[in-house]
Amino acid sequence: MRLTIVAATGGIGRHLVEQAVAGGHDVTAVARRPSDLPDGVRTVAVDLTRPDMPTLTAAVRGADAVLSALGPRNPRADAGITSHGTRAIVAAMQAERVRRIIIVSAAPVGPVPVPGRPTPPRHDPGDGFLMRHLGVRLTHAMFGRHYADLAVTEQTLRDSGLDWTVSRPPKLTDKPLTGTYRTAWNRNIRGGFSVPRADVAHHMLAMVNEPETVEQVVGIAT
């Protein structure tokens, strides 16, 4: 398949590129400063904080799917990057009539209100007692602006008319690929507090060919 991978030099993005190349896919890697990527990968330099739309549009042209690992390096300082960049990706895909997109969000996003979804559930149905009454408050106190931006990002996809899927992992780790993880649709994973970045990438690639995941939010955790 022809895949365009956005934020290809980030923590999840690198795994996406490496695993996609190993799987025999034709990969276009989009990053602000693409470097140190595997041979055989077409690289495109795009700063998604100030995207050059003709370049981004060319990067998604002809793709069977776009996979975005876009996110801030510092969630406290860089809130806004993900929604801004995702709007640009969606616009480029719409211009090129590319339909399939899978993005990374985060597990605590569910209860965050946005203009298109002003009254979300008070708690995610997959969260246990501690997460509902302590974990969510703590994470939103620390990274509230970031989660609010991810909620806007998810709403951008819902409104896009594209064939979208959102992956919502909890805490990300740098442990090696296991290929063994739990998933659940439209809910977090009970007792799932972390997952390797490599496994998130593995699951995103798997979902490209799973039409049942279209227009679904999918929780993932070990």
Side-chain angles (χ1 to χ4, degrees), residues 123-137 190:
H123 302 292
D124 186 279
D127 287 342
F129 180 85
L130 286 178
M131 190 63 187
R132 289 185 179 200
H133 297 281
L134 180 61
V136 169
R137 292 182 183 180
R190 183 66 60 91

Side-chain angles (χ1 to χ4, degrees), residues 8-9 17 30 34-35 53 59 67 70 95 106 113 126 141 157 179 194 210 214-215:
T9 57
V17 171
V30 177
S35 62
M53 288 306 298
L67 297 98
L70 185 63
L157 292 189
S194 67
E210 295 178 352
V214 171
E215 297 187 3

Side-chain angles (χ1 to χ4, degrees), residues 3-27:
L3 303 178
T4 297
I5 297 174
V6 180
T9 57
I12 293 173
R14 286 184 181 275
H15 289 291
L16 281 169
V17 171
E18 291 171 2
Q19 292 177 29
V21 169
H25 298 290
D26 180 351
V27 175

